[in-house]
Amino acid sequence: MTHLPHHPTLRDWALLLVLTLLWGSAYAFIKHAVLSFSPAALIFVRISVAAALLTMWTYARGHRLPPLNDKRWLWFAALGLFGNTLPFFLISWGQQTIDSALTGILVATMPLTTIALAHVFVPGEQMNARRLAGFLLGFAGVVVLLGPVALRGLGGAGLVAQLAVLGAAVCYGINAVLARLLPDTSPSLSGAGMLIMGAVLALPFGVWDLAHMQPAPVSAWMNVLWLALGPTALASGLLMQIARTAGPSFLATVNYMTPIAAVATGLLIGETVGWNALLALAIILAGVWLARKKPVPPPV
């Protein structure tokens, strides 16, 4: 793979903002979808529809999926497992016993996992004190945003569920690094391959639950279709593009920005936002700035 520069451009920042809005809006739609769909059924339908949509878009742009003996399918399988099927399931299963605020804090550990993995496996992504301090500051902002009281739920009876959500955060970190190391492939094609393999992995449990669930109302299906189109299909293409051009550490900052988008989405559906949201926004932005700040070259 050609090693591209890890200096985010204005275009990378714009794509990151769109990705943040897509993932941040997903929580409100998931909240309504799970009233009618089991986690396994929701995951399967969401990933399968997204795979079909992104594959059609890829073919419309003149790209073609590689033959089945191409080694990139092994990469797609790993990306589908760690980027979609496994973390989607772990988070859905974990949220059956822990609330969404604590879930958001646990998932927000993903950037810390990413910079540790990227330090070892990705050239040009070495960890340093400034970058680590920036990510830690961003994580503190997420805690302020979602409410420090949520941390009281750590441990106890929900420990296994919390470990599952932490496992999902690790999966996302692995996925960000894999996306950067993937052999040179167009973002839409790699996103389609990732979703196809994710759907294959989700198929057994998803089909079983779909066959045994009660008919879902049209509103629930509309929620699932948007989850497939926006936060999954479109977001997968953006994820691959950002990881390819700006690197996994830059991509990881989206996990600090996504809770802000989730709060903004909550405002649109009538939820209230307190002073802590504005304070958290300032802390998160300061952390992102510190993590992405270019080091000052030593005097000659």
Side-chain angles (χ1 to χ4, degrees), residues 8 45 55 106 131 201 203 228 231 240 246 249:
V45 175
T55 300
L106 294 172
R131 177 173 289 178
L201 293 169
L203 188 148
M240 291 298 178
S249 294

Side-chain angles (χ1 to χ4, degrees), residues 211-293:
H212 292 81
M213 65 178 272
Q214 296 295 321
V218 174
S219 59
W221 279 103
M222 294 301 292
N223 280 299
V224 176
L225 289 176
W226 166 247
L227 286 169
L229 173 61
T232 310
L234 179 55
S236 293
L238 292 176
L239 181 152
M240 291 298 178
Q241 177 65 44
I242 296 169
R244 184 169 178 259
T245 60
S249 294
F250 176 76
L251 174 62
T253 60
V254 75
N255 271 55
Y256 290 155
M257 304 298 289
T258 297
I260 298 174
V263 170
T265 303
L267 281 174
L268 295 177
I269 62 175
E271 296 179 357
T272 57
V273 175
W275 63 266
N276 63 307
L278 297 177
L279 175 61
L281 175 60
I283 295 173
I284 291 171
L285 291 177
V288 171
W289 172 81
L290 183 60
R292 301 310 313 173
K293 183 176 180 292

